[in-house]
Amino acid sequence: MTQASSATPDGTARYRQRFLDRVAPEHFRLAQGLWLSSIGLGTYLGHWDDATDLSYQAAIHRAFERGCNVIDTAINYRFQRSERAIGRALEEAFRQGIVSRDEIIIATKGGYIPFDTEPPQTPHEWSRYIIETFIRPGIIAPTELVGRGSHCLAPRYLENQLETSLKNLRLATIDIYYLHNPEEQLNEVSRDEFRRRIRAAFEMLESKVAEGKIRLYGTATWNGYRVPEDAPDHLSLSELVALAREVGGPDHHFRVIQAPYNLAMVEALTVPTQTVNGHSVSLLEAALHLGMTVMASASLLQSRLARGLPESLRSAFPGLRSDAQRALQFVRSTPGITTALVGMSRVEHVEENLLVARVPPSSVEDFRSVPGSS
């Protein structure tokens, strides 16, 4: 029997079944035909050294053993080292039989220029790297760069980055491939040019779905979906879905978005930043209407919500022993959020955070009692 190259409905259902006696039934959520854990492992933070690589590899293995089957990264995280650490962890996990490829969801991102292994020491070294690696070989035209040479959405460049990510991750297929902070483009190009660039990127991504190199694609944003509609870097989810339909028809593969959401950043739930069929709605409402899966980034706001929560918040989440667990419970209990992504570079992070998987999400009544959630 041929080994699957990506997550599958049967594979993720099998993974879920193994944990039904160890986690709350609601820990796994069905989205886009796959069963995803309500807590996912992120790989953004950490020093660019071998020790952190090894720590991430151990954390990933423990996450798989504790009921987490969603791993999130980006090619620029830790100068490509996060992807490469994941690749080594996956290869070993498959060899040891900890998980099978069809049981797990691997997501990465492309858009920012990634240095290789460690940061540049000088601006000259950075410029030389961009010129020699991307401009001289014809992968990027200088006019396609924004953000002082830090960001690009040109199809040739994204294709190059996808191939590099596949190599780093040691995979044949990436389950979710995000355009990374596409709103960065809006700081320097017109709305019409931005639409043209997004449409071209979507065309390339649909072609990669057809080739079997990605399963789904999406946008991973910071400001785009949570700022007001008149903000210069605002993203309209309806508009992006319409572009995907133009490119891929009703069966397009633009199906997942990622946005920051936590106790301190609740805009995705509470602020009407989107328009759907003439109605102003929140991002989560828009995503539900448009059939999009939402992944929450920065669930602990890079550990700033892991301690020091006020007593009013602590009392709203009974049965949890730490502020980090309470903050995660808030995110995973929010209607419309599929997975709360949290950085976990050490095994002890995994042990602490995945205890939340044993607890059912907060009831609607308890959730609404949290200050700022309604």
Side-chain angles (χ1 to χ4, degrees):
M1 187 179 201
T2 303
Q3 173 87 354
S5 63
S6 68
T8 67
D10 287 346
T12 54
R14 184 191 324 118
Y15 182 87
R16 170 180 176 265
Q17 189 66 35
R18 287 209 301 275
F19 290 90
L20 286 184
D21 61 345
R22 288 181 272 171
V23 301
E26 303 90 345
H27 171 56
F28 289 97
R29 288 88 187 269
L30 187 62
Q32 308 300 334
L34 304 173
W35 287 99
L36 285 72
S37 54
S38 66
I39 298 170
L41 186 149
T43 59
Y44 173 52
L45 296 177
H47 194 62
W48 49 92
D49 58 13
D50 293 344
T52 305
D53 290 347
L54 291 171
S55 187
Y56 264 121
Q57 288 167 226
I60 290 166
H61 284 190
R62 188 58 55 88
F64 290 151
E65 294 169 340
R66 293 293 185 265
C68 168
N69 73 336
V70 178
I71 307 295
D72 182 82
T73 191
I75 194 169
N76 64 310
Y77 288 178
R78 301 176 54 250
F79 310 103
Q80 300 189 55
R81 297 187 73 130
S82 286
E83 282 193 340
R84 291 167 183 163
I86 292 169
R88 289 189 291 271
L90 293 178
E91 189 169 75
E92 186 67 12
F94 299 155
R95 188 186 66 80
Q96 295 180 8
I98 297 173
V99 290
S100 298
R101 176 64 187 97
D102 61 350
E103 296 177 335
I104 59 173
I105 294 91
I106 306 298
T108 193
K109 313 173 188 77
Y112 284 107
I113 305 293
F115 210 65
D116 194 341
T117 308
E118 60 185 12
Q121 299 303 306
T122 65
H124 174 72
E125 185 179 345
W126 175 245
S127 297
R128 185 177 63 189
Y129 172 75
I130 294 174
I131 291 169
E132 293 180 356
T133 307
F134 300 112
I135 293 177
R136 194 163 289 155
I139 297 167
I140 296 176
T143 55
E144 295 169 330
L145 284 163
V146 302
R148 296 181 179 179
S150 68
H151 196 267
C152 181
L153 293 182
R156 292 186 309 282
Y157 172 68
L158 292 173
E159 184 173 26
N160 169 274
Q161 294 294 278
L162 172 61
E163 294 296 334
T164 305
S165 290
L166 287 166
K167 180 179 178 181
N168 287 344
L169 293 164
R170 307 186 184 193
L171 295 176
T173 305
I174 291 167
D175 299 298
I176 305 169
Y177 192 81
Y178 296 106
L179 299 183
H180 200 176
N181 290 358
E183 64 267 36
E184 188 84 31
Q185 298 279 314
L186 286 165
N187 294 321
E188 297 184 34
V189 304
S190 68
R191 284 275 167 183
D192 285 344
E193 175 61 15
F194 175 74
R195 293 186 193 98
R196 189 197 67 76
R197 292 185 178 192
I198 291 290
R199 194 181 195 284
F202 283 3
E203 287 176 343
M204 189 279 296
L205 292 171
E206 288 288 348
S207 74
K208 295 304 173 181
V209 173
E211 291 176 22
K213 294 190 175 182
I214 61 176
R215 194 177 192 281
L216 302 168
Y217 63 92
T219 48
T221 69
W222 187 253
N223 286 328
Y225 291 126
R226 66 189 186 92
V227 295
E229 291 189 87
D230 59 355
D233 55 349
H234 175 266
L235 294 178
S236 165
L237 186 56
S238 293
E239 183 175 73
L240 293 179
V241 170
L243 287 172
R245 286 175 179 156
E246 286 181 19
V247 170
D251 296 325
H252 65 84
H253 296 84
F254 174 58
R255 297 294 177 182
V256 190
I257 59 173
Q258 188 182 123
Y261 178 77
N262 54 58
L263 281 165
M265 301 168 71
V266 295
E267 296 93 343
L269 174 69
T270 62
V271 181
T273 64
Q274 301 292 312
T275 297
V276 178
N277 293 335
H279 299 284
S280 293
V281 297
S282 70
L283 174 63
L284 292 179
E285 289 177 279
L288 177 64
H289 180 82
L290 295 167
M292 303 294 293
T293 296
V294 182
M295 315 290 272
S297 62
S299 297
L300 298 185
L301 198 53
Q302 297 172 4
S303 298
R304 280 176 274 177
L305 298 173
R307 60 189 66 84
L309 293 182
E311 188 56 40
S312 60
L313 284 174
R314 288 176 174 168
S315 62
F317 300 106
L320 298 170
R321 69 186 191 186
S322 71
D323 286 349
Q325 291 177 352
R326 296 178 186 107
L328 275 177
Q329 179 72 336
F330 171 78
V331 176
R332 71 190 284 266
S333 299
T334 301
I337 297 290
T338 295
T339 298
L341 299 170
V342 55
M344 292 187 272
S345 62
R346 300 202 299 268
V347 167
E348 51 264 40
H349 294 158
V350 175
E351 298 286 8
E352 171 78 6
N353 294 334
L354 266 295
L355 286 174
V356 182
R358 302 178 183 180
V359 180
S362 300
S363 67
V364 174
E365 293 74 18
D366 288 344
F367 180 81
R368 287 177 175 168
S369 72
V370 178
S373 65
S374 58

